[in-house]
Amino acid sequence: MPVPSSSPIVTLLKEEIEKEFGRPIKTPKDFLEVVDFIHNKSHALVSETTIRRLYKKGQEYPNVSDDILNVLSRTIGFNHFKEFTAEIITPFRFFT
């Protein structure tokens, strides 16, 4: 099920991609380089347009597809987005 691009968990996933990539993703050059980075890490193909629309303010998708969320999660070492989400949310369950 797609997740709103403004969701805090999507923001956190994008921040984790930037950490793994080694710098903020802001410029057209960054968009191109992160496409190769994602391919090298996850063996998945993502278009430059998809990356641009994920990271460029004012051009965001309203929702991010499961496929993209899974690819991004694999890029940072998780098997899929649900695993990433569980890893992030689990520590906070003790405080509810």
Side-chain angles (χ1 to χ4, degrees), residues 25 31 34-35 38 46-55:
I25 300 167
F31 304 148
V34 83
V35 165
I38 288 169
V46 176
S47 76
E48 175 193 356
T49 301
T50 296
I51 298 302
R52 180 177 40 82
R53 292 191 73 187
L54 280 170
Y55 282 93

Side-chain angles (χ1 to χ4, degrees), residues 6-82:
S6 60
S7 167
I9 196 75
V10 171
T11 300
L12 184 57
L13 179 58
K14 289 170 27 182
E15 289 171 356
E16 292 298 317
I17 291 290
E18 289 181 321
K19 285 181 194 173
E20 191 78 18
F21 183 59
R23 66 179 190 266
I25 300 167
K26 295 182 177 183
T27 68
K29 181 181 175 191
D30 295 335
F31 304 148
L32 280 173
E33 290 178 3
V34 83
V35 165
D36 289 335
F37 173 78
I38 288 169
H39 180 69
N40 290 335
K41 297 286 268 181
S42 69
H43 307 289
L45 297 175
V46 176
S47 76
E48 175 193 356
T49 301
T50 296
I51 298 302
R52 180 177 40 82
R53 292 191 73 187
L54 280 170
Y55 282 93
K56 190 164 183 173
K57 296 286 185 204
Q59 294 187 9
E60 300 97 342
Y61 290 112
N63 297 300
V64 183
S65 74
D66 289 340
D67 290 339
I68 296 301
L69 294 170
N70 287 329
V71 167
L72 295 177
S73 297
R74 283 198 313 270
T75 301
I76 59 171
F78 294 91
N79 291 318
H80 43 74
F81 182 65
K82 285 184 181 181

